[in-house]
Amino acid sequence: MGSLSSRAAVIPDVDSIRRETGFSQACLLRLHHRFQALDRDKKGYLSRMDLQQIGALAVNPLGDRIIDSFFPDRSQRVDFSGFVRVLAHFRPIEEEDSEIRDLKKPEPLNSRMNKLRFAFQLYDLDGDGKISWQEMLQVLRLMVGVQVTEEQLESITDRTVQEADEDGDGAVSFLEFAKSLEKMNVEQKMSIRILK
Amino acid sequence: MLRAALPLLALPLVGVAEEPPQKSGSPGEPPPGLALFRWQWHEVEAPYLVALWILVASLAKIVFHLSRKVTSLVPESCLLILLGLVLGGIVLAVAKKAEYQLEPGTFFLFLLPPIVLDSGYFMPSRLFFDNLGAILTYAVVGTLWNAFTTGAALWGLQQAGLVAPRVQAGFLDFLLFGSLISAVDPVAVLAVFEEVHVNETLFIIVFGESLLNDAVTVVLYKVCNSFVEMGSANVQATDYLKGVASLFVVSLGGAAVGLVFAFLLALTTRFTKRVRIIEPLLVFLLAYAAYLTAEMASLSAILAVTMCGLGCKKYVEANISHKSRTAVKYTMKTLASCAETVIFMLLGISAVDSSKWAWDSGLVLGTLVFILFFRALGVVLQTWVLNQFRLVPLDKIDQVVMSYGGLRGAVAFALVILLDRTKVPAKDYFVATTIVVVFFTVIVQGLTIKPLVKWLKVKRSEHHKPTLNQELHEHTFDHILAAVEDVVGHHGYHYWRDRWEQFDKKYLSQLLMRRSAYRIRDQIWDVYYRLNIRDAISFVDQGGHVLSSAGLTLPSMPSRNSVAETSVTNLLRESGSGACLDLQVIDTVRSGRDREDAVMHHLLCGGLYKPRRRYKASCSRHFISEDAQERQDKEIFQQNMKRRLESFKSTKHNICFTKSKPRLRKTGRRKKDGVANAEATNGKPPRDLGFQDTAAVILTVESDKEEESDSSETEKEDDEGIIFVARATSEVLQEGKVSGEEGEVQREESPWNSLPQQA
């Protein structure tokens, strides 16, 4: 497998990325290849436009938000490690992960909590740690077809926020969000099998 | 052709029809004078009967679909077979002899091609090629395994004495029988699977297997047939080798024939711009010619048509007009649906003719057990091997569905009828067995596969009713997952596909696609390439200035429930967290809340966009439901684009845009780079476009300068892509604004060429 390791050498900081994300060597290579394919001008980083080129994202209601999640803190470019870091959230959780993990090391990026945190930040645009009524309404509006009226949307938002909100502040904090989804199999719903 | 149709179709109309028409020249009789009315049955007999049969089949379909409940439980194919049985019984009772059979000639020449063409043309090619390894494995290895094991097991059964000795069949005969009974049938699979919505990978594997195993079946059948004819003593080692070689020849040859015709078809449609009306005809003719050519050369005709459909689709869709596309789609579906209906009905009818078959319980039961068992075993073994190599492994449920979904159908029946009774003395027993097997798989397996799928999936999921939150978030997660999969390029890391696409772009597309179509090809524009220009006009009319904040209202339709709902909502809001003091209110609230709950769930379910998971069978013969997906795509796309343009508005830069104005009228060839610049427009607007207070969206229609003079107005409407470009000044807006009345759009050269100079 000499060629594999020589190709791996092309990726900058490959070891630290591996430690942080937990991806296998083969998977990292695949992602690197994809990164380079997306980076059409060979800049070495991706801009929003590169990601917007992906045709299928244009017909995904959350496409733009996903793209934004690659650019934290209003940056305009994302390098390979940032790219992989976001994708690491979607690595499937294997049994070994939950056993070996000792409490000193930080939680792996693909733990249940981190997956939920990723989804949470897609809702919480202003980053204040709570999904306000407005933000929930915005997400609903994104995901629902045009035949649903504004009032209907608002009443749905009311109910949704009410259901999840426990301390009555009219907004859904992260813990409330996680609690409302405790029965959902998040590990399976937010995992892509090829990212191993 | 008529002669072949006649025995198939001679419906005995009791009494009247049999009379020959009065001939005025009959000997010895004086001419009767001018006849006012003559009964010319014999002249119209054949086509009339064909039409009658198809009419009966269609009426039957209408009757079935009157009852929703029945059709949701029972797949149509079952109902059709049963109808066939009934009709056959009637015919038998009336005419005392079985008139109609599924004649192999008619079947292979007329009934099978439309179905295969339809499947090949609408096959999702990306999915197909992604899973090609698995499909080929199941088709080739699986069919061979099934054939040999079934044949050998049946022979073993005979040796063990469980099969009556009157069934005179040797090892080779059983092998022959095994080869024709082991092939999974595309007609049956399609008919049943389109009612069971399994995930797309699973569907494509089973369906692809059923199409591709035709080559193997044909070869095996022919080889075994010739071995039987030669007599087992005369078979030599070289014959075995020739058999193996012929497998390659048949399959590769069939595929090659298909590709040649695909090439021809794509090339011809490139030049049909002025003769649009013959486009659908060309598609059908050339595809059918591919089938016949392969059949003539004893190659695999199904493979030929499949390859033809797969290969030509991309170019043909680009070249032919929108109306032709629709015509082709509808005609194919109609023909295929019709053929399928007739096939199933005739299967039912043929079963009634007991002179053609002879019963042997051991053989029948043995066959049934063996095909189920060996198929399951084969699937498990192959899947285990395949999972070592696949990115996305096939799990247990997939395997169960795959083995259970291996239906046999009319192909097996036609093949068994083709056997020569003198060479294969046990033919009648085989016929009976085949009939039973086909009926069993189509009826029993067809009926039970849907509950089975449901049961298997339900077993693993939660049983509680999901809360509103969960439902909503589940949808969100699905969309997120789909988006991330696209970012990762789930199917992206394929070196050979990249190479192929480059080759295609450089050479093939240029050769085979019409120039105007070739230029518009690109990813994002592909997605809304078919946006109707009327939609876009209404879009602009609605807002006009789409980027103004007021313009973002979604069209709202009055809902019947809204009045009742809002009152309950208000009630809830007023009462805060639900602490009610009034007893009556408590009652109302509880039931109202439930009702509201139900209404909201219903709303959400109906209103939420569906993520790209469920395989909406584009091969569905009964409903052409692409519109829902297209409409959803359009909506989401429009909203996304709106939002993106809005976000540009927030970044204000003062770049003067007037320079581009004179260049608007510039004529010149639009280079392929222009496409890249279009994306530059969307992505880097602060650099390229300036914004003053209200920016507006203008539609420019991509015009092909060369063909401008020829195309008619309707052409414009349907064939050309729409590009959204934001403009700065109001003067520009007036110049380029779409006039809503006539639907005529200003034809301008793409401004993209002008933009890079500014950057």
Short mmCIF file of all heavy atoms in Angstrom, two decimals, chain B residues 216-257:
data_model
loop_
_atom_site.label_atom_id
_atom_site.label_comp_id
_atom_site.label_asym_id
_atom_site.label_seq_id
_atom_site.Cartn_x
_atom_site.Cartn_y
_atom_site.Cartn_z
N VAL B 216 -28.11 -14.42 -20.13
CA VAL B 216 -27.75 -15.72 -19.57
C VAL B 216 -28.82 -16.74 -19.88
O VAL B 216 -28.54 -17.88 -20.27
CB VAL B 216 -27.55 -15.59 -18.04
CG1 VAL B 216 -27.19 -16.92 -17.45
CG2 VAL B 216 -26.51 -14.56 -17.74
N THR B 217 -30.07 -16.32 -19.69
CA THR B 217 -31.16 -17.26 -19.95
C THR B 217 -31.15 -17.71 -21.40
O THR B 217 -31.28 -18.90 -21.69
CB THR B 217 -32.51 -16.58 -19.65
OG1 THR B 217 -32.41 -15.92 -18.41
CG2 THR B 217 -33.60 -17.61 -19.62
N VAL B 218 -31.01 -16.74 -22.30
CA VAL B 218 -31.03 -17.09 -23.72
C VAL B 218 -29.93 -18.09 -24.03
O VAL B 218 -30.15 -19.11 -24.69
CB VAL B 218 -30.86 -15.80 -24.56
CG1 VAL B 218 -30.42 -16.13 -25.96
CG2 VAL B 218 -32.14 -15.04 -24.58
N VAL B 219 -28.74 -17.80 -23.54
CA VAL B 219 -27.62 -18.69 -23.84
C VAL B 219 -27.85 -20.08 -23.26
O VAL B 219 -27.72 -21.09 -23.94
CB VAL B 219 -26.32 -18.08 -23.29
CG1 VAL B 219 -25.21 -19.11 -23.31
CG2 VAL B 219 -25.94 -16.89 -24.11
N LEU B 220 -28.19 -20.09 -21.99
CA LEU B 220 -28.40 -21.38 -21.34
C LEU B 220 -29.47 -22.18 -22.07
O LEU B 220 -29.30 -23.38 -22.33
CB LEU B 220 -28.85 -21.16 -19.90
CG LEU B 220 -27.78 -21.19 -18.83
CD1 LEU B 220 -28.44 -21.03 -17.48
CD2 LEU B 220 -27.00 -22.46 -18.88
N TYR B 221 -30.55 -21.50 -22.38
CA TYR B 221 -31.65 -22.18 -23.03
C TYR B 221 -31.21 -22.75 -24.36
O TYR B 221 -31.45 -23.92 -24.66
CB TYR B 221 -32.79 -21.18 -23.21
CG TYR B 221 -34.01 -21.75 -23.85
CD1 TYR B 221 -34.92 -22.48 -23.12
CD2 TYR B 221 -34.27 -21.54 -25.20
CE1 TYR B 221 -36.04 -23.00 -23.70
CE2 TYR B 221 -35.40 -22.07 -25.79
CZ TYR B 221 -36.28 -22.80 -25.04
OH TYR B 221 -37.40 -23.31 -25.61
N LYS B 222 -30.54 -21.93 -25.15
CA LYS B 222 -30.15 -22.41 -26.47
C LYS B 222 -29.13 -23.54 -26.37
O LYS B 222 -29.20 -24.54 -27.08
CB LYS B 222 -29.55 -21.27 -27.29
CG LYS B 222 -30.57 -20.26 -27.69
CD LYS B 222 -30.21 -19.59 -29.00
CE LYS B 222 -31.38 -18.79 -29.52
NZ LYS B 222 -31.43 -17.42 -29.05
N VAL B 223 -28.19 -23.34 -25.46
CA VAL B 223 -27.15 -24.36 -25.31
C VAL B 223 -27.77 -25.67 -24.87
O VAL B 223 -27.52 -26.74 -25.45
CB VAL B 223 -26.08 -23.86 -24.31
CG1 VAL B 223 -25.24 -25.00 -23.83
CG2 VAL B 223 -25.22 -22.81 -24.96
N CYS B 224 -28.58 -25.61 -23.84
CA CYS B 224 -29.20 -26.84 -23.35
C CYS B 224 -30.10 -27.45 -24.41
O CYS B 224 -30.15 -28.67 -24.58
CB CYS B 224 -30.00 -26.56 -22.08
SG CYS B 224 -28.95 -26.26 -20.67
N ASN B 225 -30.82 -26.61 -25.11
CA ASN B 225 -31.69 -27.10 -26.16
C ASN B 225 -30.91 -27.85 -27.22
O ASN B 225 -31.28 -28.95 -27.64
CB ASN B 225 -32.43 -25.93 -26.81
CG ASN B 225 -33.86 -26.29 -27.12
OD1 ASN B 225 -34.28 -27.42 -26.91
ND2 ASN B 225 -34.59 -25.33 -27.65
N SER B 226 -29.81 -27.26 -27.65
CA SER B 226 -29.03 -27.95 -28.68
C SER B 226 -28.37 -29.20 -28.12
O SER B 226 -28.23 -30.19 -28.83
CB SER B 226 -28.00 -27.03 -29.33
OG SER B 226 -27.68 -25.97 -28.50
N PHE B 227 -28.00 -29.15 -26.85
CA PHE B 227 -27.45 -30.37 -26.27
C PHE B 227 -28.49 -31.48 -26.27
O PHE B 227 -28.21 -32.63 -26.58
CB PHE B 227 -26.98 -30.12 -24.83
CG PHE B 227 -25.64 -29.44 -24.76
CD1 PHE B 227 -24.95 -29.09 -25.91
CD2 PHE B 227 -25.08 -29.16 -23.54
CE1 PHE B 227 -23.72 -28.46 -25.84
CE2 PHE B 227 -23.84 -28.53 -23.45
CZ PHE B 227 -23.17 -28.18 -24.60
N VAL B 228 -29.70 -31.08 -25.90
CA VAL B 228 -30.77 -32.09 -25.87
C VAL B 228 -31.02 -32.62 -27.26
O VAL B 228 -31.25 -33.82 -27.46
CB VAL B 228 -32.06 -31.45 -25.28
CG1 VAL B 228 -33.24 -32.33 -25.55
CG2 VAL B 228 -31.89 -31.25 -23.80
N GLU B 229 -30.98 -31.75 -28.22
CA GLU B 229 -31.22 -32.21 -29.58
C GLU B 229 -30.12 -33.11 -30.07
O GLU B 229 -30.35 -34.09 -30.78
CB GLU B 229 -31.36 -31.01 -30.52
CG GLU B 229 -32.70 -30.36 -30.37
CD GLU B 229 -32.83 -29.14 -31.26
OE1 GLU B 229 -32.07 -29.07 -32.24
OE2 GLU B 229 -33.68 -28.29 -30.97
N MET B 230 -28.91 -32.75 -29.70
CA MET B 230 -27.80 -33.60 -30.15
C MET B 230 -27.82 -34.93 -29.44
O MET B 230 -27.26 -35.90 -29.92
CB MET B 230 -26.47 -32.88 -29.87
CG MET B 230 -26.26 -31.68 -30.75
SD MET B 230 -24.57 -31.10 -30.69
CE MET B 230 -24.38 -30.70 -29.01
N GLY B 231 -28.43 -34.93 -28.30
CA GLY B 231 -28.39 -36.17 -27.53
C GLY B 231 -27.19 -36.13 -26.60
O GLY B 231 -26.11 -35.72 -26.98
N SER B 232 -27.39 -36.53 -25.39
CA SER B 232 -26.34 -36.31 -24.40
C SER B 232 -25.08 -37.08 -24.71
O SER B 232 -24.01 -36.74 -24.23
CB SER B 232 -26.85 -36.69 -23.01
OG SER B 232 -27.39 -37.99 -23.04
N ALA B 233 -25.19 -38.08 -25.52
CA ALA B 233 -23.98 -38.85 -25.80
C ALA B 233 -23.03 -38.10 -26.72
O ALA B 233 -21.82 -38.31 -26.68
CB ALA B 233 -24.36 -40.19 -26.42
N ASN B 234 -23.60 -37.22 -27.53
CA ASN B 234 -22.76 -36.58 -28.54
C ASN B 234 -22.10 -35.30 -28.06
O ASN B 234 -21.37 -34.68 -28.80
CB ASN B 234 -23.59 -36.25 -29.78
CG ASN B 234 -24.24 -37.51 -30.33
OD1 ASN B 234 -23.78 -38.60 -30.04
ND2 ASN B 234 -25.30 -37.33 -31.09
N VAL B 235 -22.40 -34.93 -26.86
CA VAL B 235 -21.85 -33.65 -26.41
C VAL B 235 -20.38 -33.80 -26.07
O VAL B 235 -19.99 -34.70 -25.34
CB VAL B 235 -22.62 -33.17 -25.15
CG1 VAL B 235 -21.97 -31.93 -24.60
CG2 VAL B 235 -24.05 -32.92 -25.51
N GLN B 236 -19.60 -32.91 -26.61
CA GLN B 236 -18.15 -33.01 -26.35
C GLN B 236 -17.67 -31.82 -25.55
O GLN B 236 -18.38 -30.87 -25.34
CB GLN B 236 -17.41 -33.05 -27.68
CG GLN B 236 -17.72 -34.28 -28.48
CD GLN B 236 -17.34 -34.04 -29.93
OE1 GLN B 236 -17.14 -32.91 -30.34
NE2 GLN B 236 -17.24 -35.11 -30.69
N ALA B 237 -16.42 -31.92 -25.19
CA ALA B 237 -15.84 -30.86 -24.35
C ALA B 237 -15.87 -29.53 -25.06
O ALA B 237 -16.13 -28.48 -24.46
CB ALA B 237 -14.42 -31.24 -23.96
N THR B 238 -15.58 -29.57 -26.37
CA THR B 238 -15.57 -28.29 -27.09
C THR B 238 -16.93 -27.63 -27.07
O THR B 238 -17.05 -26.40 -27.08
CB THR B 238 -15.17 -28.49 -28.56
OG1 THR B 238 -15.97 -29.55 -29.08
CG2 THR B 238 -13.71 -28.84 -28.69
N ASP B 239 -17.97 -28.43 -27.00
CA ASP B 239 -19.30 -27.83 -26.96
C ASP B 239 -19.52 -27.05 -25.68
O ASP B 239 -20.16 -26.00 -25.67
CB ASP B 239 -20.37 -28.92 -27.09
CG ASP B 239 -20.36 -29.53 -28.49
OD1 ASP B 239 -20.16 -28.75 -29.44
OD2 ASP B 239 -20.54 -30.74 -28.60
N TYR B 240 -18.96 -27.56 -24.60
CA TYR B 240 -19.08 -26.83 -23.35
C TYR B 240 -18.37 -25.49 -23.46
O TYR B 240 -18.89 -24.44 -23.04
CB TYR B 240 -18.48 -27.62 -22.19
CG TYR B 240 -19.31 -28.83 -21.80
CD1 TYR B 240 -18.77 -30.11 -21.87
CD2 TYR B 240 -20.61 -28.68 -21.37
CE1 TYR B 240 -19.52 -31.20 -21.52
CE2 TYR B 240 -21.38 -29.77 -21.03
CZ TYR B 240 -20.83 -31.04 -21.11
OH TYR B 240 -21.57 -32.13 -20.76
N LEU B 241 -17.17 -25.55 -24.03
CA LEU B 241 -16.42 -24.31 -24.18
C LEU B 241 -17.17 -23.34 -25.07
O LEU B 241 -17.25 -22.14 -24.79
CB LEU B 241 -15.04 -24.60 -24.78
CG LEU B 241 -14.05 -25.21 -23.80
CD1 LEU B 241 -12.75 -25.50 -24.52
CD2 LEU B 241 -13.80 -24.24 -22.66
N LYS B 242 -17.73 -23.91 -26.14
CA LYS B 242 -18.49 -23.03 -27.04
C LYS B 242 -19.67 -22.42 -26.30
O LYS B 242 -20.03 -21.26 -26.54
CB LYS B 242 -19.01 -23.83 -28.24
CG LYS B 242 -18.02 -23.97 -29.35
CD LYS B 242 -18.71 -24.41 -30.61
CE LYS B 242 -17.99 -25.65 -31.17
NZ LYS B 242 -18.79 -26.36 -32.15
N GLY B 243 -20.25 -23.19 -25.40
CA GLY B 243 -21.36 -22.66 -24.63
C GLY B 243 -20.93 -21.45 -23.82
O GLY B 243 -21.60 -20.41 -23.81
N VAL B 244 -19.80 -21.60 -23.14
CA VAL B 244 -19.32 -20.49 -22.32
C VAL B 244 -19.01 -19.29 -23.20
O VAL B 244 -19.37 -18.15 -22.89
CB VAL B 244 -18.08 -20.93 -21.52
CG1 VAL B 244 -17.45 -19.73 -20.85
CG2 VAL B 244 -18.46 -21.96 -20.48
N ALA B 245 -18.35 -19.56 -24.33
CA ALA B 245 -18.00 -18.45 -25.22
C ALA B 245 -19.25 -17.77 -25.73
O ALA B 245 -19.30 -16.54 -25.88
CB ALA B 245 -17.16 -18.97 -26.38
N SER B 246 -20.27 -18.56 -26.01
CA SER B 246 -21.47 -17.94 -26.57
C SER B 246 -22.13 -17.02 -25.56
O SER B 246 -22.81 -16.08 -25.94
CB SER B 246 -22.46 -19.00 -27.05
OG SER B 246 -23.02 -19.66 -25.95
N LEU B 247 -21.90 -17.30 -24.27
CA LEU B 247 -22.45 -16.38 -23.28
C LEU B 247 -21.90 -14.98 -23.50
O LEU B 247 -22.64 -14.00 -23.51
CB LEU B 247 -22.09 -16.89 -21.88
CG LEU B 247 -22.54 -16.00 -20.73
CD1 LEU B 247 -24.05 -15.92 -20.69
CD2 LEU B 247 -22.02 -16.52 -19.42
N PHE B 248 -20.60 -14.92 -23.67
CA PHE B 248 -19.99 -13.61 -23.88
C PHE B 248 -20.45 -12.99 -25.19
O PHE B 248 -20.75 -11.80 -25.26
CB PHE B 248 -18.47 -13.72 -23.87
CG PHE B 248 -17.93 -13.97 -22.51
CD1 PHE B 248 -17.52 -15.22 -22.12
CD2 PHE B 248 -17.87 -12.94 -21.59
CE1 PHE B 248 -17.04 -15.45 -20.85
CE2 PHE B 248 -17.40 -13.16 -20.32
CZ PHE B 248 -16.98 -14.42 -19.95
N VAL B 249 -20.49 -13.84 -26.22
CA VAL B 249 -20.89 -13.31 -27.52
C VAL B 249 -22.29 -12.75 -27.46
O VAL B 249 -22.55 -11.63 -27.91
CB VAL B 249 -20.80 -14.43 -28.59
CG1 VAL B 249 -21.50 -14.00 -29.86
CG2 VAL B 249 -19.35 -14.76 -28.88
N VAL B 250 -23.18 -13.51 -26.87
CA VAL B 250 -24.58 -13.08 -26.85
C VAL B 250 -24.75 -11.79 -26.06
O VAL B 250 -25.39 -10.84 -26.51
CB VAL B 250 -25.46 -14.20 -26.25
CG1 VAL B 250 -26.80 -13.66 -25.83
CG2 VAL B 250 -25.63 -15.30 -27.25
N SER B 251 -24.15 -11.75 -24.88
CA SER B 251 -24.40 -10.56 -24.06
C SER B 251 -23.68 -9.34 -24.61
O SER B 251 -24.29 -8.29 -24.78
CB SER B 251 -23.98 -10.82 -22.62
OG SER B 251 -22.72 -11.42 -22.59
N LEU B 252 -22.39 -9.50 -24.91
CA LEU B 252 -21.67 -8.34 -25.40
C LEU B 252 -22.17 -7.92 -26.76
O LEU B 252 -22.28 -6.73 -27.07
CB LEU B 252 -20.17 -8.63 -25.45
CG LEU B 252 -19.56 -8.82 -24.06
CD1 LEU B 252 -18.11 -9.21 -24.16
CD2 LEU B 252 -19.70 -7.55 -23.26
N GLY B 253 -22.51 -8.92 -27.58
CA GLY B 253 -23.04 -8.59 -28.90
C GLY B 253 -24.35 -7.84 -28.79
O GLY B 253 -24.58 -6.84 -29.49
N GLY B 254 -25.22 -8.32 -27.92
CA GLY B 254 -26.49 -7.64 -27.75
C GLY B 254 -26.30 -6.20 -27.30
O GLY B 254 -26.91 -5.27 -27.81
N ALA B 255 -25.41 -6.03 -26.31
CA ALA B 255 -25.16 -4.68 -25.82
C ALA B 255 -24.58 -3.81 -26.93
O ALA B 255 -24.96 -2.63 -27.07
CB ALA B 255 -24.20 -4.73 -24.63
N ALA B 256 -23.69 -4.38 -27.72
CA ALA B 256 -23.08 -3.60 -28.79
C ALA B 256 -24.13 -3.17 -29.81
O ALA B 256 -24.14 -2.01 -30.25
CB ALA B 256 -21.99 -4.41 -29.47
N VAL B 257 -25.02 -4.08 -30.16
CA VAL B 257 -26.08 -3.71 -31.11
C VAL B 257 -26.90 -2.55 -30.54
O VAL B 257 -27.20 -1.58 -31.24
CB VAL B 257 -27.00 -4.93 -31.38
CG1 VAL B 257 -28.27 -4.50 -32.08
CG2 VAL B 257 -26.26 -5.95 -32.21
#
